[in-house]
Amino acid sequence: MTSAPLAARLTRVQGPLFFPVTAYGPDGALDLDAFRTHVRRGIDAGAAAVFACCGTGEFHALTPEEFGECVAAAVAETAGEVPVVAGAGYGTALAVRFAKIAEAAGADGLLAMPPYLVVADQHGLLRHYTALAEATSLDVIVYQRDNAVFTPETVVELARADGIIGLKDGYGDLDLMQRIVGAVRRDLPDEEFLYFNGLPTAELTGLAYRGIGITLYSSAVFAFAPDIALAFYRALITGDDKTVGRLLDGFYGPLVELRNLGRGYAVSLVKAGVRLEGLDVGEVRPPLSEPLPEHITALADLIERGRALLEDGA
């Protein structure tokens, strides 16, 4: 049930949602100074919220202690300017543990990622997420993807639960999402439940999601090229179809094609982009691998092309 400040803050956002990468030093340990610099740059560039230690932030590769340090660093760096949402995942017991760590670190909310490995039925998924919400005072956004895909009826029950304020969709079935939105609207007409486009390159489907009323989205591009991401966001919300089309065809479409060339590129290619922009955040941790050198070169060329497209439209 939508009740806490996070929902109100997210409904007023005027920019993409920022998912920072987690920075590591040459020895592979956390580099909190670089991480804080990365977070600060995102805030200064116009991030509407910081989602720390989530998918792009390699939640899967962090120990609980490292997770707590990163979330606390993000909270300290934002200093209340924008909300900080932290990842939580694995089985119910560990998800609750991460939730409590995030709460102690000062986070404003949680992004609840799919349970580890198992393929559960709808009743089991509902038990998992409601138990997580009951165990913390933080508001919870449930992440739909992979082994956690919900029926409209299950989402209605999630929306009824205290502490669950929204659904982030990384599955990409617009027919399903339309039925989910309609079911919640029909059965809970007074509930201000939030929806997010959480596909890996959400800009590519931004027009389609806006067609069913979903305007909030996460932007991986914002992590390494916030100027391009913000230009697209402003064009999208103002109806500047010419700029939207130019960036979709000349930048975002080719970026998705590049991302699809390697497993794990939704994370490792973003991290490479941050390094290309001059901030050494280290490499990804195993089991992910670094992009091939020729793909990093292609990313650099693509970033340059995207900025040229901005100049062409100026």
Side-chain angles (χ1 to χ4, degrees), residues 64-98:
E65 294 76 19
E66 290 174 325
F67 171 83
E69 291 178 37
C70 280
V71 175
V75 170
E77 195 59 46
T78 59
E81 294 178 56
V82 298
V84 174
V85 179
Y90 304 118
T92 306
L94 274 177
V96 168
R97 181 179 176 190
F98 278 100

Side-chain angles (χ1 to χ4, degrees), residues 175-220:
D175 176 271
L176 174 61
M177 283 306 298
Q178 179 64 76
R179 288 185 288 115
I180 285 172
V181 171
V184 174
R185 186 168 54 221
R186 179 190 65 240
D187 293 355
L188 302 171
D190 298 324
E191 190 67 32
E192 191 178 9
F193 197 64
L194 304 182
Y195 301 95
F196 305 77
N197 176 356
L199 290 171
T201 305
E203 286 90 347
L204 202 64
T205 54
L207 287 168
Y209 273 79
R210 289 183 75 85
I212 60 174
I214 299 174
T215 58
L216 295 165
Y217 67 88
S218 54
S219 175

